[in-house]
Amino acid sequence: MDNIILGLLLLNSRTIYQLRERIDKGLNMMYSSSMGSIQAAIKKLLNCEYIQYEEVVENGKYKKIYSITDSGKQNFIQWLSTPMEIHSSKNPELAKLYFMGFSTKEKREAVLQEYVSKLKEQYDILNAICKEAENVKVPDENKDILHYQLTAAYMAKIL
């Protein structure tokens, strides 16, 4: 979660709610976006001085807007330079499929239809992100950033 936050803050300064919203829109397949996990990561990043915040008042409410520090950028770039690892693609839910023959036909169909529906929802979200991003005009210096963000979304669609 730490590096996801650093990367998002490298793109734009954001409030904790904006971070969660952005993670929920496309990155939630990679990391959990519970407010607790984001807050824990924010606290850790502040303690390491990888991020900082500025308090502002909008509509009478105090907000903390987080941004990445130079040491946070260095840490993030160092993380990007480490080799990518192959993580297990094991899905414990497939054990249900393995033993599905013990269930009644009606229950099997209902469970599998719900699962397929959830997979389709995830696919549709990723597909919408990809289609939207294909039409985004970005400055030349940011084309690589968009390219790899789209690549991650395309890979998530096929996995």
Side-chain angles (χ1 to χ4, degrees), residues 8-23:
L8 290 173
L9 293 178
L10 194 55
L11 292 168
N12 291 312
S13 296
R14 302 168 196 256
T15 66
I16 198 166
Y17 297 102
Q18 290 169 327
L19 284 167
R20 181 171 186 200
E21 182 178 82
R22 181 61 188 94
I23 291 168

Side-chain angles (χ1 to χ4, degrees), residues 6-146:
L6 289 175
L8 290 173
L9 293 178
L10 194 55
L11 292 168
N12 291 312
S13 296
R14 302 168 196 256
T15 66
I16 198 166
Y17 297 102
Q18 290 169 327
L19 284 167
R20 181 171 186 200
E21 182 178 82
R22 181 61 188 94
I23 291 168
D24 283 345
K25 289 183 181 176
L27 295 172
N28 62 345
M29 293 180 140
M30 297 172 222
Y31 285 91
S32 167
S33 64
S34 73
M35 193 55 84
S37 64
I38 294 171
Q39 288 172 332
I42 290 284
K43 184 176 179 179
K44 178 181 173 186
L45 293 168
L46 284 168
N47 287 337
C48 293
E49 298 182 354
Y50 291 157
I51 64 172
Q52 59 193 8
Y53 66 88
E54 174 186 359
E55 288 188 271
V56 296
V57 179
E58 281 184 16
N59 300 324
K61 294 182 180 180
Y62 285 93
K63 292 184 178 185
K64 291 181 181 178
I65 300 177
Y66 296 91
S67 60
I68 192 167
T69 64
D70 287 338
S71 62
K73 288 177 191 174
Q74 287 176 331
N75 180 272
F76 181 75
I77 297 302
Q78 181 181 350
W79 170 74
L80 283 177
S81 302
T82 60
M84 292 176 69
E85 295 185 23
I86 297 174
H87 288 280
S88 170
S89 59
K90 294 178 183 174
N91 181 346
E93 289 296 299
L94 289 178
K96 284 184 185 177
L97 183 60
Y98 184 83
F99 293 110
M100 193 66 67
F102 290 106
S103 183
T104 66
K105 182 178 180 181
E106 294 79 25
K107 288 183 181 178
R108 286 192 303 252
E109 288 177 359
V111 167
L112 292 174
Q113 283 176 353
E114 182 180 345
Y115 185 67
V116 168
S117 177
K118 287 178 183 179
L119 289 174
K120 184 173 176 357
E121 261 181 53
Q122 288 181 342
Y123 179 85
D124 289 345
I125 289 168
L126 288 169
N127 203 36
I129 290 168
C130 292
K131 284 184 188 261
E132 182 181 318
E134 288 170 357
N135 299 318
V136 171
K137 302 283 187 227
V138 295
D140 286 341
E141 65 268 13
N142 292 341
K143 286 191 187 255
D144 282 347
I145 295 168
L146 180 62

